[in-house]
Amino acid sequence: MRTVRHGLSCKGDKLMEYGLIGEHLGHSYSKEIHGMIADYDYELKEIERADLDTFMKAKDFKAINVTIPYKQDVISYLDEIDEGAAAIGAVNTIVNKDGILRGYNTDFAGMSALASRLGIDLNGKKVLICGTGGTSKTAAALAASKGAAQVLRLSRSRKEGCITYEEARQLHTDADVIINTTPSGMFPDTDACPVDIDAFSGICGVIDVIYNPLRTNLVLDAQEKGIPAGGGLYMLAAQAVYACGHFLGKEMSREDTDRAFDAVAFRKKNIVLTGMPGCGKTTVGKIVSGKLKRKLVDTDRVITERIGMPIADYFEKYGEKAFRDIESEVIGAMSKESGLVIATGGGAVLRKENVRALKHNGTVVFIDRPLEKLTATKDRPLSSDREALKKRFDERYDIYRNSADCRVNGALPLMGVAKAVIKAAER
């Protein structure tokens, strides 16, 4: 520990005990994660910048985590700071021991755990880090500690010795690893992306610290190319476990992190069912939602309620494009939620934007029911007879298969399909 004395002490009226401070915390999963790894009250406390000084000087807490944008600002209030946190220049964990504030950085260990889980080796690599905040400094420290050959931080203004994003695209197309520490792509602006990985031909790993959505566009872009990539939820779980160790003065394990991550990831993840009309998406969805006690959203039903008429009638009156536009709006809205079972219409996967939206917070499960077990019905405008059904099957089968995260055998009895869906989503 390096000591930094300030002699600040005053007391407020209310003891926070444990919690997280930051400017905007509506997206945070920290309370849930800490609830799984320890038995203490953990509070989310939003603090405006003008109020940070009063809060920190009052010291009315046992221990806290710190997030954007205060990971650097809190350092001036500390009495002691861990050498690792001092070297990074960012603190995300503070323990109050008899009025003495000690600062740590568990983001470093959390990001290291995420890189290890993804199998991303930074040794000898050129690493591009998007962002200039406290977490970007953590990423730079991690890359250096792992033996990266070159570490470059990216900003729009070249501040603090950074290069611009344009310079990265022009001069560093040979980069090996991208680490995003900016809010670009974070809920609710899930369509954003900090960089276009198509500009970098040699990328072999992508780390995004954003955890809401579970998979950002940056992560999905990489995964579609077969590049190891992951979002920040595992990092969040790992840093929370290490922070808990500081809070309670005890050793924590990798098993604690895995247990917390698995539980939160499954709880937050949407289970998205795709497949041909008549494959059983709605019926299987009802079984799955009942077993997991989750809300079921049938996108066709939501659309029918919105348009005020049967889908077949809407098709006939306004055409397929008008229907697909409404379908995309509904899917876009549902995909921003979490913990749902979503039964999609048969043609939902025809638009890449729908698949991308569904994958942000969901695992897409293709119910692969053989053509001979599908039934044509008049209420399905594009598969109202056997010939039309076969045509749709031939046109769409590869799209279903290639757009899904996993496939289950739709020829099984419905209860068997539902069990297979749950098992697939748990992976």
Side-chain angles (χ1 to χ4, degrees):
M1 277 287 192
R2 181 172 68 87
T3 301
V4 193
R5 294 286 181 185
H6 298 286
L8 299 174
S9 65
C10 65
K11 285 291 180 181
D13 297 323
K14 183 174 181 286
L15 182 66
M16 181 179 177
E17 282 211 343
Y18 304 97
L20 172 69
I21 67 167
E23 195 169 35
H24 303 292
L25 302 178
H27 64 285
S28 177
Y29 299 162
S30 292
K31 184 177 178 67
E32 293 175 65
I33 293 175
H34 279 267
M36 294 174 186
I37 58 181
D39 184 21
Y40 49 60
D41 291 329
Y42 190 91
E43 179 182 347
L44 301 181
K45 187 175 184 66
E46 292 188 346
I47 298 178
E48 295 183 8
R49 184 170 291 279
D51 298 325
L52 181 65
D53 183 68
T54 299
F55 175 83
M56 291 302 301
K57 287 179 178 178
K59 303 183 182 182
D60 283 349
F61 54 84
K62 289 183 178 178
I64 56 171
N65 290 128
V66 182
T67 191
I68 297 171
Y70 302 133
K71 293 182 181 183
Q72 297 170 79
D73 296 331
V74 297
I75 292 176
S76 64
Y77 298 95
L78 302 178
D79 298 293
E80 298 177 1
I81 181 169
D82 176 76
E83 290 182 2
I88 293 168
V91 164
N92 79 320
T93 301
I94 301 174
V95 176
N96 183 353
K97 185 69 172 177
D98 299 324
I100 303 298
L101 300 186
R102 297 182 172 95
Y104 306 86
N105 187 306
T106 65
D107 281 340
F108 182 95
M111 190 178 293
S112 178
L114 174 58
S116 177
R117 178 182 175 86
L118 295 173
I120 296 175
D121 181 10
L122 300 173
N123 184 46
K125 302 297 194 299
K126 176 184 279 193
V127 181
L128 299 183
I129 300 171
C130 303
T132 59
T135 307
S136 76
K137 294 181 178 180
T138 300
L142 174 66
S145 74
K146 299 294 185 181
Q150 188 174 10
V151 181
L152 299 167
R153 289 195 299 154
L154 280 55
S155 78
R156 292 181 175 83
S157 61
R158 299 190 69 182
K159 65 180 182 180
E160 299 183 15
C162 298
I163 65 170
T164 66
Y165 287 85
E166 184 59 32
E167 286 172 327
R169 285 190 292 268
Q170 292 180 353
L171 304 175
H172 300 285
T173 57
D174 59 340
D176 301 295
V177 176
I178 292 175
I179 303 177
N180 177 46
T181 68
T182 76
S184 180
M186 185 169 70
F187 175 87
D189 191 18
T190 54
D191 290 334
C193 188
V195 293
D196 180 3
I197 63 172
D198 286 339
F200 305 95
S201 58
I203 294 296
C204 59
V206 170
I207 296 171
D208 196 332
V209 302
I210 292 172
Y211 54 86
N212 184 8
L214 297 174
R215 290 189 284 184
T216 61
N217 279 337
L218 178 63
V219 169
L220 289 171
D221 286 344
Q223 290 180 343
E224 287 175 2
K225 294 177 177 294
I227 298 169
L233 186 58
Y234 192 84
M235 174 182 168
L236 181 70
Q239 71 84 12
V241 166
Y242 287 112
C244 178
H246 288 303
F247 288 1
L248 304 180
K250 61 183 288 188
E251 289 291 326
M252 305 296 286
S253 69
R254 168 74 179 268
E255 288 70 27
D256 292 317
T257 297
D258 289 342
R259 184 173 66 252
F261 169 78
D262 290 341
V264 174
F266 186 66
R267 184 182 301 175
K268 295 296 182 183
K269 184 190 303 180
N270 293 325
I271 299 174
V272 181
L273 306 179
T274 65
M276 281 290 293
C279 73
K281 296 184 295 291
T282 299
T283 304
V284 169
K286 289 178 180 177
I287 298 172
V288 172
S289 68
K291 284 184 171 293
L292 299 180
K293 295 180 172 54
R294 296 187 179 206
K295 178 182 177 181
L296 170 66
V297 176
D298 185 319
T299 59
D300 277 353
R301 179 170 297 177
V302 173
I303 294 168
T304 299
E305 292 173 356
R306 177 179 293 193
I307 62 181
M309 66 177 73
I311 290 175
D313 293 349
Y314 191 87
F315 253 78
E316 183 177 352
K317 187 173 182 178
Y318 298 105
E320 182 176 1
K321 182 182 183 304
F323 171 78
R324 296 297 176 204
D325 289 344
I326 295 174
E327 181 177 54
S328 292
E329 291 176 9
V330 169
I331 287 175
M334 293 300 101
S335 297
K336 291 182 185 292
E337 299 189 34
S338 60
L340 301 176
V341 177
I342 302 176
T344 63
V349 299
L350 297 179
R351 287 189 176 181
K352 185 177 179 179
E353 67 193 75
N354 293 344
V355 176
R356 175 60 65 99
L358 291 165
K359 286 188 174 184
H360 276 156
N361 276 323
T363 293
V364 177
V365 183
F366 168 35
I367 299 179
D368 187 1
R369 190 168 177 83
L371 176 61
E372 60 270 18
K373 291 184 176 293
L374 298 173
T375 302
T377 59
K378 294 295 183 182
D379 62 338
R380 296 182 175 117
L382 297 181
S383 55
S384 57
D385 56 51
R386 194 67 191 171
E387 182 179 352
L389 181 66
K390 182 181 185 307
K391 182 179 180 182
R392 297 291 89 77
F393 185 90
D394 293 340
E395 290 172 346
R396 296 177 181 177
Y397 185 82
D398 285 344
I399 299 175
Y400 288 130
R401 187 182 60 191
N402 294 332
S403 62
D405 293 304
C406 47
R407 182 192 72 87
V408 298
N409 183 2
L412 297 171
L414 288 173
M415 186 61 71
V417 177
K419 289 180 179 178
V421 166
I422 294 173
K423 184 176 181 180
E426 286 176 337
R427 294 176 190 150

